[in-house]
Amino acid sequence: MSEKNDTFKLLDPDQLNLELIEAQYALKDTRAKDNAKSLVILMSGVELAGKGESVKQLREWVDPRYLRVVADPAHLFKVNRTFWEPYARFIPAEGQMLVMFSNWYSDLIATAMHVSEPMDDTLFDAYIKDMQSFERDLRNNHVEVIKVWFDLSWKSLQKRLDKMDSSEQRWHKLHGLDWRNKKQYDNLQKLRSRFTDDWYVIDCEDEESRDQQFAQYILKHLKDIPEYPKKAVLDWQQAVVPEELLKPRNDSIDKDEYKEELKKLTAKVADTLRFDGRRVVIVFEGMDAAGKGGAIKRIVKKLDPREYEIYPIAAPEKYELARPYQWRFWTKVCEDEALSIFDRSWYGRVLVERIDGFATEVEWQRAYDEINRFEKDLYDSNSVVIKFWLAIDKDEQEKRFKSREEMPYKNYKITPDDWHNRENWDQYLEAAADMLQRTSTLHAPWHVIATNDKYTARLEVLRAILTHFKTDE
Amino acid sequence: MSEKNDTFKLLDPDQLNLELIEAQYALKDTRAKDNAKSLVILMSGVELAGKGESVKQLREWVDPRYLRVVADPAHLFKVNRTFWEPYARFIPAEGQMLVMFSNWYSDLIATAMHVSEPMDDTLFDAYIKDMQSFERDLRNNHVEVIKVWFDLSWKSLQKRLDKMDSSEQRWHKLHGLDWRNKKQYDNLQKLRSRFTDDWYVIDCEDEESRDQQFAQYILKHLKDIPEYPKKAVLDWQQAVVPEELLKPRNDSIDKDEYKEELKKLTAKVADTLRFDGRRVVIVFEGMDAAGKGGAIKRIVKKLDPREYEIYPIAAPEKYELARPYQWRFWTKVCEDEALSIFDRSWYGRVLVERIDGFATEVEWQRAYDEINRFEKDLYDSNSVVIKFWLAIDKDEQEKRFKSREEMPYKNYKITPDDWHNRENWDQYLEAAADMLQRTSTLHAPWHVIATNDKYTARLEVLRAILTHFKTDE
């Protein structure tokens, strides 16, 4: 934490008010434009320093309709939850501002101060690093994160505690720790000294200067309308399209044999998923008509619909477009289902969005890292991430398209979009090759399954799922 | 429960599939049109009857992208939560279908069967009645609710339990009660016999017939595209506009006296709200520039922003318009803040929407009852609902508009909309008169506060809030 504020001067409040309003409306006007952003303000600091007062003052200086305040109680870290999970749903739309009293840093500090043994510095620093990566992805995706520490000396804190009236005291007790305890105060200061230097630190001795410093920081960021680069600087290293995508082939299997094997495998998958305590996330990608729906049907065959959720992913809605592209997936994986199956997924960013130009060059090229980070977070929070690319050849696809068109009750499954995507067949193969190369990780590997023979393909999907779990056999 | 299904015939599955798809797409096409609706399917019944199987089959016969399944664990009733609260956020947009394994009826049954003493029949029936009212409001607001009971005889249930494999058994145990207990089975049947006769009952002895009956019920409702009446049948009984709206007058107060009194009252309000365990919901309505913002500022003066949420209500977003007009408020009051303040509210339905024609005659005339029901639900779940109409006269408004236009940092507060609304002054007074007459209830009374003198008005608002609580004085 090092950000100094040597140049700070008190402004005429009416002038500050006017500038804030104007900057806020300028931000609002960026919505759905190339330079759009939203602001997320993370609050942290010493109790009684005046976080609440500063936000109240800010609320009076801006149009409160575009400033939301979130103040959950602290979420102590849990092994099976990512640090961003409790907050994902609050991430504001472009043009909006959000103040978060509770946030991943306040949770980290609360966790570190509440555990019986002190949290290891290495672990603490590792959390901070993960948080910074998350914030960088947010920023790249139009959500700017501002972090403010409200600081107060031990002496002033004690003085303010003396002066508090009883009603306030009671309320503050609910939230905080024991602020009469010097050791605890020192521990807090020690922890925050490990924060990175992109924090603003406000000395809260003087109230007017505190509120103005806070508001002036916000103003600075409101005024800073970004320009996102679109063209990549370096040439893209296209991966070679592997044989398994170019000529997917699998053996066919006798129907009776298939049925028998299917019965065994579906029971085993159901049994395995039920026994495993972890969240399981299964992703399906692949050309249209490659058999995603059929494979999903077999995974859930012996499960009850109450045990899983299937998310068929289509084009994002307007309110989803106003947020980071991963946002609609962040909120879905937070739903706590034991098993979530994505029929298409966040990989749309590097497939259809890349090919049809919905993402800029810089955006889709950056997305591989963003996706790897996201899946690593899931893995670190005890989730099993299993990804399938179903590979079909072009002739077989045409056959299936035509058969769908002929069957009235399957007709809805075939749309002009499907024929359009087919025209870009080679581009999809290239995009898939890049995706497989860049996002096949140890914690979330891809399985490429040839689906010319549907029966074999379905069995292979089931077998691949089982490889992610320790089973008896 | 009486709905018989004498005419049921098995259909060719492909034919049923086709009809379901076509009906589903027709429903989808009603979005944002006059005849739009969504379908909510409430599932209940005997364990192992086959609810899950039937939904799985349905999912294969429709386009699963427009069918969502919700399966929370049961929410046992709590004194401070309305029965619809856990489910409000799931209510689907027009054109969508939602299957709810968990729902208010399954919660009611779970509550009735889990309490140590049997639930009193009168109370049980009262819940059912409230639920029916809620469903009627949903239906009127384009969300059709279908209720299906999956029935199975004691003998068949025992047979199915015998045949279950161990993995399934384990899973079912998590959800259910003890299905080997005849007394408990009988109790369940006794409870459901008190359900109303708008339930479909499916005998689940035969699986094919069960799945088809279920799908055919859904088909019937998919096909039934509603026509909502727009013109009211009876003449509207316009309330007389009371003097307090026509000529709002309050006494002015000396500034020093105001300050002293304000200090006392804001502290008392903060203290009172902190001590009261209940949720508090405060609503502000009134002409533009009547002083809503200023009054709200004083209510929260001694509170920390973490203790309350202010909701400034503007025109609904597209995804909100696709749901009942109260939906965005249902989800907000579920947020569990101790204090929620609405700067404009659900009363928009009978004010701006009535006047500017966003609601049909039938819709706004029906809304008074819907609002009363909603507020009664809040009251019954231990919430305090406090409503303010801030009354200003037309000359004073003009003065304030002009002063806002002159002050650069208040300029954003005045828009062409405000001048437009001012042109409809008399209509707003009539709408307000109707609103006051029809929604001033014992559990949620209106306070009309004259605001020509802002100081007096603010103090009166604070005093009015205190009347809702038992205080020492």
Side-chain angles (χ1 to χ4, degrees):
Chain A
M1 319 245 289
S2 72
E3 179 86 25
K4 288 283 176 296
N5 195 22
D6 300 332
T7 58
F8 169 72
K9 280 193 191 73
L10 281 181
L11 295 175
D12 169 51
D14 287 350
Q15 180 60 28
L16 184 56
N17 188 344
L18 178 59
E19 286 192 40
L20 277 164
I21 291 282
E22 280 175 352
Q24 193 190 13
Y25 273 68
L27 180 81
K28 199 179 143 249
D29 284 342
T30 67
R31 273 185 205 178
K33 291 183 188 148
D34 284 348
N35 59 353
K37 77 169 181 185
S38 63
L39 274 195
V40 172
I41 303 150
L42 307 186
M43 312 285 287
S44 200
V46 179
E47 196 72 19
L48 289 189
K51 295 193 283 291
E53 291 303 318
S54 290
V55 169
K56 216 144 84 176
Q57 179 57 66
L58 180 68
R59 203 169 205 159
E60 286 174 23
W61 280 335
V62 300
D63 184 341
R65 279 173 295 173
Y66 311 109
L67 172 71
R68 194 174 168 196
V69 173
V70 172
D72 277 11
H75 298 267
L76 297 186
F77 287 162
K78 291 202 273 186
V79 285
N80 57 356
R81 196 174 56 197
T82 66
F83 64 84
W84 44 260
E85 265 189 61
Y87 304 106
R89 67 189 181 104
F90 297 117
I91 288 175
E94 292 170 354
Q96 293 265 11
M97 292 164 71
L98 174 74
V99 171
M100 290 183 128
F101 282 101
S102 47
N103 54 66
W104 38 96
Y105 291 101
S106 59
D107 290 347
L108 174 61
I109 287 195
T111 306
M113 295 190 69
H114 276 97
V115 286
S116 48
E117 294 166 64
M119 191 187 271
D120 177 45
D121 281 353
T122 320
L123 181 60
F124 191 90
D125 293 349
Y127 273 123
I128 300 267
K129 208 169 153 243
D130 283 351
M131 289 170 182
Q132 277 205 299
S133 305
F134 177 62
E135 290 156 28
R136 186 201 55 224
D137 288 357
L138 281 178
R139 189 169 294 116
N140 282 332
N141 290 285
H142 303 195
V143 180
E144 190 171 10
V145 178
I146 302 168
K147 298 174 276 191
V148 190
W149 180 270
F150 288 75
D151 204 36
L152 195 64
S153 69
W154 168 254
K155 229 172 112 183
S156 301
L157 170 61
Q158 298 311 305
K159 248 191 239 162
R160 290 192 187 177
L161 282 168
D162 295 340
K163 279 198 291 189
M164 258 173 108
D165 69 55
S166 62
S167 166
E168 259 185 298
Q169 217 148 16
R170 241 172 288 115
W171 178 73
H172 273 283
K173 260 191 198 152
L174 290 177
H175 285 257
L177 300 151
D178 179 6
W179 297 98
R180 291 294 197 188
N181 182 334
K182 176 77 160 64
K183 215 172 124 191
Q184 196 179 264
Y185 175 89
D186 290 340
N187 190 20
L188 179 75
Q189 292 289 3
K190 194 190 125 268
L191 288 174
R192 73 105 173 174
S193 73
R194 307 191 74 84
F195 282 3
T196 45
D197 61 6
D198 51 351
W199 279 78
Y200 288 116
V201 181
I202 298 181
D203 181 335
C204 298
E205 215 59 52
D206 177 73
E207 292 181 12
E208 189 184 9
S209 135
R210 172 197 69 200
D211 293 353
Q212 279 237 357
Q213 276 191 62
F214 179 62
Q216 289 188 32
Y217 288 139
I218 306 303
L219 178 60
K220 185 182 131 192
H221 286 273
L222 280 174
K223 278 183 168 172
D224 179 31
I225 301 293
E227 267 197 63
Y228 304 105
K230 289 182 185 176
K231 289 294 278 182
V233 182
L234 296 173
D235 284 343
W236 180 247
Q237 296 296 315
Q238 170 64 49
V240 177
V241 180
E243 197 69 5
E244 56 182 350
L245 297 193
L246 287 171
K247 295 207 175 84
R249 282 287 169 275
N250 59 2
D251 297 330
S252 63
I253 187 176
D254 169 73
K255 192 167 182 179
D256 288 339
E257 202 184 323
Y258 162 70
K259 282 193 166 170
E260 197 178 321
E261 189 67 10
L262 184 72
K263 207 172 159 185
K264 264 195 280 178
L265 283 169
T266 50
K268 198 163 169 62
V269 162
D271 212 39
T272 305
L273 291 172
R274 276 175 186 150
F275 259 97
D276 198 275
R278 294 170 295 175
R279 283 195 296 208
V280 179
V281 177
I282 302 180
V283 168
F284 279 92
E285 293 287 353
M287 304 290 193
D288 297 310
K292 296 187 290 295
I296 291 171
K297 207 157 117 178
R298 271 69 192 189
I299 294 175
V300 302
K301 195 168 177 67
K302 294 279 178 177
L303 293 168
D304 188 279
R306 283 163 281 186
E307 295 179 280
Y308 59 84
E309 180 81 58
I310 301 170
Y311 296 104
I313 302 304
E317 302 267 350
K318 203 178 146 199
Y319 73 96
E320 293 169 329
L321 282 170
R323 293 177 170 88
Y325 71 94
Q326 287 196 1
W327 179 75
R328 56 181 175 145
F329 305 107
W330 291 339
T331 50
K332 286 185 178 71
V333 296
C334 295
E335 284 283 343
D336 268 336
E337 265 92 29
L339 171 62
S340 307
I341 301 176
F342 288 87
D343 184 350
R344 304 201 183 281
S345 70
W346 43 93
Y347 284 98
R349 189 67 161 185
V350 295
L351 296 169
V352 59
E353 292 188 36
R354 165 182 175 177
I355 290 161
D356 283 344
F358 297 126
T360 67
E361 208 174 78
V362 166
E363 282 172 341
W364 66 257
Q365 292 188 8
R366 194 181 51 216
Y368 302 96
D369 282 347
E370 293 169 346
I371 288 172
N372 286 338
R373 193 197 54 69
F374 164 55
E375 292 176 357
K376 180 68 164 46
D377 279 354
L378 291 181
Y379 174 81
D380 286 344
S381 64
N382 252 345
S383 300
V384 183
V385 182
I386 308 174
K387 305 182 295 197
F388 290 102
W389 175 269
L390 300 192
I392 190 179
D393 73 32
K394 213 175 169 181
D395 294 343
E396 177 65 22
Q397 188 194 48
E398 191 175 8
K399 242 190 272 171
R400 292 191 189 170
F401 276 13
K402 288 192 171 150
S403 118
R404 283 184 177 184
E405 285 181 328
E406 281 159 20
M407 279 191 282
Y409 60 91
K410 283 203 167 172
N411 214 304
Y412 80 96
K413 284 192 169 183
I414 183 95
T415 68
D417 271 356
D418 297 329
W419 289 104
H420 163 80
N421 293 340
R422 185 175 160 81
E423 281 168 28
N424 296 327
W425 185 271
D426 293 339
Q427 284 173 271
Y428 269 98
L429 284 188
E430 287 188 353
D434 279 338
M435 175 188 84
L436 293 174
Q437 189 186 69
R438 289 166 189 268
T439 62
S440 284
T441 56
L442 278 174
H443 53 267
W446 278 100
H447 301 276
V448 177
I449 309 274
T451 63
N452 279 41
D453 185 86
K454 284 183 178 183
Y455 291 165
T456 309
R458 289 170 191 163
L459 298 179
E460 279 180 18
V461 164
L462 295 170
R463 284 194 202 103
I465 290 173
L466 291 173
T467 62
H468 287 257
F469 303 87
K470 279 185 198 150
T471 54
D472 307 340
E473 284 161 46
Chain B
M1 320 247 287
S2 70
E3 179 86 26
K4 288 281 178 295
N5 194 24
D6 300 331
T7 59
F8 169 72
K9 279 194 194 75
L10 282 181
L11 295 176
D12 169 51
D14 287 350
Q15 181 60 28
L16 183 55
N17 188 347
L18 178 59
E19 285 191 41
L20 277 163
I21 291 283
E22 280 174 353
Q24 193 189 12
Y25 272 69
L27 180 81
K28 199 179 143 247
D29 285 341
T30 66
R31 275 186 203 174
K33 292 185 188 145
D34 284 349
N35 58 353
K37 77 170 182 185
S38 63
L39 273 195
V40 172
I41 303 150
L42 308 184
M43 312 285 288
S44 201
V46 178
E47 197 73 16
L48 290 190
K51 295 194 283 289
E53 291 303 318
S54 291
V55 168
K56 217 143 84 177
Q57 179 58 65
L58 180 67
R59 204 170 205 159
E60 286 173 24
W61 279 334
V62 299
D63 184 341
R65 279 174 295 174
Y66 311 109
L67 171 71
R68 198 178 165 192
V69 173
V70 172
D72 278 11
H75 297 268
L76 297 186
F77 287 162
K78 290 203 272 186
V79 284
N80 57 357
R81 197 175 56 199
T82 66
F83 63 85
W84 45 261
E85 264 188 63
Y87 305 105
R89 68 191 181 100
F90 297 115
I91 287 174
E94 291 169 354
Q96 294 264 10
M97 291 164 71
L98 173 74
V99 171
M100 290 181 130
F101 280 102
S102 47
N103 55 65
W104 37 96
Y105 291 101
S106 58
D107 290 348
L108 173 62
I109 286 194
T111 306
M113 294 190 69
H114 276 96
V115 288
S116 48
E117 294 166 64
M119 190 186 270
D120 176 44
D121 281 352
T122 320
L123 180 61
F124 191 90
D125 292 349
Y127 272 123
I128 300 266
K129 206 167 158 246
D130 283 351
M131 290 170 182
Q132 277 206 300
S133 305
F134 178 61
E135 290 156 26
R136 186 202 54 224
D137 288 357
L138 281 178
R139 189 168 294 116
N140 282 332
N141 289 284
H142 302 196
V143 180
E144 190 172 8
V145 179
I146 302 167
K147 300 175 276 190
V148 189
W149 180 269
F150 288 75
D151 204 37
L152 195 64
S153 69
W154 169 253
K155 228 171 115 185
S156 300
L157 169 61
Q158 298 311 307
K159 248 192 240 163
R160 289 191 189 180
L161 282 168
D162 294 341
K163 278 198 292 185
M164 258 173 112
D165 68 54
S166 62
S167 166
E168 260 185 298
Q169 218 149 14
R170 241 172 286 115
W171 178 72
H172 274 283
K173 261 191 196 151
L174 290 177
H175 286 256
L177 300 150
D178 179 5
W179 297 99
R180 292 292 197 188
N181 183 333
K182 177 78 162 63
K183 215 174 125 192
Q184 196 179 265
Y185 175 90
D186 289 341
N187 189 20
L188 178 76
Q189 293 289 5
K190 192 191 126 270
L191 288 173
R192 72 105 174 177
S193 73
R194 307 192 75 83
F195 283 2
T196 44
D197 60 6
D198 52 353
W199 278 78
Y200 288 115
V201 180
I202 298 181
D203 181 335
C204 298
E205 214 60 51
D206 176 74
E207 293 181 12
E208 189 185 8
S209 135
R210 172 198 68 201
D211 293 352
Q212 279 237 358
Q213 276 192 60
F214 179 61
Q216 289 187 32
Y217 288 139
I218 306 303
L219 178 61
K220 184 182 134 192
H221 286 273
L222 280 172
K223 280 183 167 171
D224 178 31
I225 302 293
E227 266 197 65
Y228 304 104
K230 289 180 186 179
K231 290 294 277 182
V233 181
L234 296 174
D235 283 345
W236 182 247
Q237 295 297 317
Q238 171 64 50
V240 177
V241 180
E243 197 69 5
E244 56 181 353
L245 296 193
L246 287 171
K247 295 206 175 85
R249 281 287 170 273
N250 58 0
D251 298 330
S252 63
I253 185 175
D254 168 72
K255 191 167 181 178
D256 288 338
E257 201 183 324
Y258 162 70
K259 281 192 167 174
E260 199 179 319
E261 188 66 9
L262 184 71
K263 207 173 159 183
K264 264 196 281 177
L265 283 170
T266 51
K268 198 164 168 62
V269 162
D271 212 39
T272 305
L273 290 173
R274 278 176 186 148
F275 260 99
D276 198 276
R278 294 171 293 175
R279 284 196 294 206
V280 178
V281 177
I282 303 180
V283 168
F284 279 92
E285 293 288 353
M287 304 290 194
D288 297 310
K292 294 186 291 295
I296 291 171
K297 208 157 117 178
R298 272 68 190 188
I299 295 175
V300 302
K301 196 170 176 64
K302 293 280 179 178
L303 293 169
D304 188 279
R306 283 164 281 187
E307 296 179 280
Y308 59 84
E309 181 80 56
I310 301 170
Y311 296 103
I313 301 304
E317 302 267 351
K318 203 179 145 198
Y319 73 96
E320 293 168 329
L321 282 171
R323 293 178 170 86
Y325 71 96
Q326 288 196 0
W327 179 74
R328 56 181 176 146
F329 305 106
W330 292 339
T331 51
K332 286 184 177 72
V333 295
C334 294
E335 283 283 343
D336 268 336
E337 266 92 28
L339 171 62
S340 306
I341 302 177
F342 288 88
D343 184 350
R344 304 204 184 280
S345 70
W346 43 93
Y347 284 98
R349 189 67 162 186
V350 295
L351 296 169
V352 59
E353 291 187 36
R354 164 180 176 176
I355 290 162
D356 282 345
F358 298 125
T360 67
E361 207 175 78
V362 167
E363 282 172 340
W364 67 257
Q365 292 188 5
R366 192 181 53 216
Y368 302 96
D369 282 346
E370 293 169 346
I371 288 171
N372 286 338
R373 193 197 55 69
F374 166 54
E375 293 176 355
K376 180 68 164 46
D377 279 353
L378 291 181
Y379 174 82
D380 286 343
S381 64
N382 251 346
S383 301
V384 183
V385 182
I386 308 174
K387 305 182 296 196
F388 290 102
W389 176 268
L390 300 192
I392 190 178
D393 73 31
K394 212 174 170 182
D395 294 343
E396 177 65 21
Q397 188 194 49
E398 191 175 10
K399 242 189 272 172
R400 291 189 190 172
F401 274 13
K402 286 189 173 154
S403 119
R404 283 183 176 185
E405 285 181 328
E406 279 158 22
M407 281 192 280
Y409 60 91
K410 283 203 169 173
N411 212 303
Y412 80 94
K413 284 192 169 183
I414 182 99
T415 68
D417 271 356
D418 297 330
W419 289 104
H420 163 79
N421 293 339
R422 186 176 159 81
E423 280 168 29
N424 296 328
W425 185 271
D426 293 338
Q427 283 174 271
Y428 269 98
L429 284 189
E430 286 187 353
D434 279 337
M435 176 188 82
L436 294 173
Q437 188 186 69
R438 288 166 189 268
T439 62
S440 284
T441 55
L442 278 174
H443 54 267
W446 278 99
H447 301 275
V448 177
I449 309 275
T451 64
N452 279 40
D453 185 86
K454 283 183 179 183
Y455 291 164
T456 309
R458 290 170 191 163
L459 299 179
E460 279 179 19
V461 164
L462 295 170
R463 284 192 202 105
I465 290 173
L466 291 172
T467 62
H468 287 258
F469 301 89
K470 279 184 197 150
T471 54
D472 307 339
E473 283 163 47

